[in-house]
Amino acid sequence: MIRRLAAVALAGAVAVLACTAASPTPDPGSGGDSASPRAQEYWLSEYGIEKAWDVTEGKGVKIAIIDTGVGHAPELDPAVVDGTDVSGAGSPDGRTPVGPPDEKNHGSYVASLAAGRAAGGDTDMIGVAPQADILSISVGFGGSSQVPFTEQVATAMRWAVDHGAKVINLSFTTNTLSWDESWDDAFMYAYTHDVVVVVAAGNRGSGTDIVGAPATIPGVLTVAGVDPTEHASVEASTQGITIGVAAPSEQLLGVAPGGEVMVWEGTSGAAPIVSGIAALVRAAHPELNAANVIERITKTARLAPGMKKAPSPLYGYGLVDAAAAVSDDVPLVSGGPADELRDWIRVYRRAQVSPQPTPTEKSVQVPPLPHADPVSSPVSALLPDRERVLYGSLPLMAVTAPAILVALGVTVAARRIRSARSSRTPRRTKL
């Protein structure tokens, strides 16, 4: 059963190594080569990796493994060309695994899948890009470091870029979609230096139902996991709209420090398979920038069983195909990871004011405003007030009173005249 290997506070999130506990590979016994480590690497033939080797094995490309540290083993020592520790708990060269016993070999498993060498012959385990170089950067998860995890990752990203990495592998995830703002600059630094960043999608079995950061950061190539039947892994993968491609995540092999080959699973293993393929593409097409390397990997992927169209929240653009990614004709694209992250920052991060306004030496004195007119109490429109009496009622009375008196006088005079006339008229009698 998949279990959580490490946890560390991350802005309310939990950083999780996306893998299970490992177990030793079975002895070949009487089965001979049929049970050898190389024979168990089904992904080499089924995902076009061996065919891609006809063109390139990744020579000259550096893959940075930001993980628990890459230990010493015959399959790993020829591949590791440089390293560092950002946890404060490892060795300066990044070759001392950091963390508790059941977790610290994680970085070695990841590195061996990406670019391990076949130390003892054609039956030994080999990585996807067996001539690529590895940069080992040890990070402390959980209580294995006093340095904040976000700071470790940001420092590791910059160190990897400054030391020539063209592919960075991050086989961990979190349980949140968001990420610390310090990662904005770290990932942008990688993008502007033309680095392909490959990230594990995370595992349902470790409590990650949907992809979490850094798989949600714009510009990364997020990898989901499938089982040997090419169906989405029930325990060793998760889903989300940021997934780019899918790769094997079950019945994987990994080399532990000392050289023992182990069986393990998780998108922690799917990611370095794709990182190795990215190294093959970069070696075959050194003229391509990171955007077009990712374009080749995603657009040449094939549909998974039952997958009707791409992209899919379970498989992204489909199952990765190394041979097609290396050899097919794929139209060039413009833009790239830096543009995607820059647009996201512009929309979702608060804009910074630059330059900041400079305060004046003396404060500005503003004269006081005049007092406001007193507020009168509301009066009914039916009742007279002072203004209505002075400017309405009295002037109206002064005009109308004389007019009324004149009218009355005229009326009285008219009546008197009619009365006088009637008295002077002779009365006529009938004979």
Side-chain angles (χ1 to χ4, degrees), residues 95-231:
R95 299 299 305 276
T96 301
V98 177
D102 60 344
E103 301 172 3
K104 63 182 181 180
N105 293 338
H106 186 269
S108 301
Y109 302 154
V110 171
S112 60
L113 267 174
R117 309 291 198 256
D122 293 341
T123 61
D124 284 358
M125 181 184 174
I126 192 170
V128 172
Q131 289 189 17
D133 297 323
I134 293 174
L135 301 177
S136 174
I137 307 172
S138 53
V139 175
F141 292 80
S144 59
S145 175
Q146 299 299 315
V147 181
F149 182 74
T150 54
E151 180 182 331
Q152 292 184 65
V153 173
T155 302
M157 295 281 289
R158 289 181 173 274
W159 189 94
V161 174
D162 292 342
H163 288 76
K166 301 307 291 182
V167 180
I168 292 177
N169 187 92
L170 303 176
S171 285
F172 59 84
T173 186
T174 68
N175 62 356
T176 179
L177 300 176
S178 61
W179 59 90
D180 190 87
E181 287 192 31
S182 66
W183 286 9
D184 292 352
D185 292 336
F187 281 74
M188 184 63 77
Y189 189 72
Y191 296 159
T192 55
H193 286 79
D194 195 36
V195 179
V196 176
V197 181
V198 181
V199 180
N203 305 328
R204 293 186 184 95
S206 61
T208 305
D209 294 328
I210 59 175
V211 293
T216 53
I217 298 178
V220 302
L221 178 55
T222 300
V223 184
V226 295
D227 62 24
T229 68
E230 300 184 343
H231 290 84

Side-chain angles (χ1 to χ4, degrees), residues 260-286:
E260 186 177 14
V261 179
M262 310 292 284
V263 178
W264 65 307
E265 62 184 24
T267 54
S268 276
I273 289 176
V274 175
S275 289
I277 293 174
L280 296 179
V281 175
R282 301 218 82 159
H285 302 278

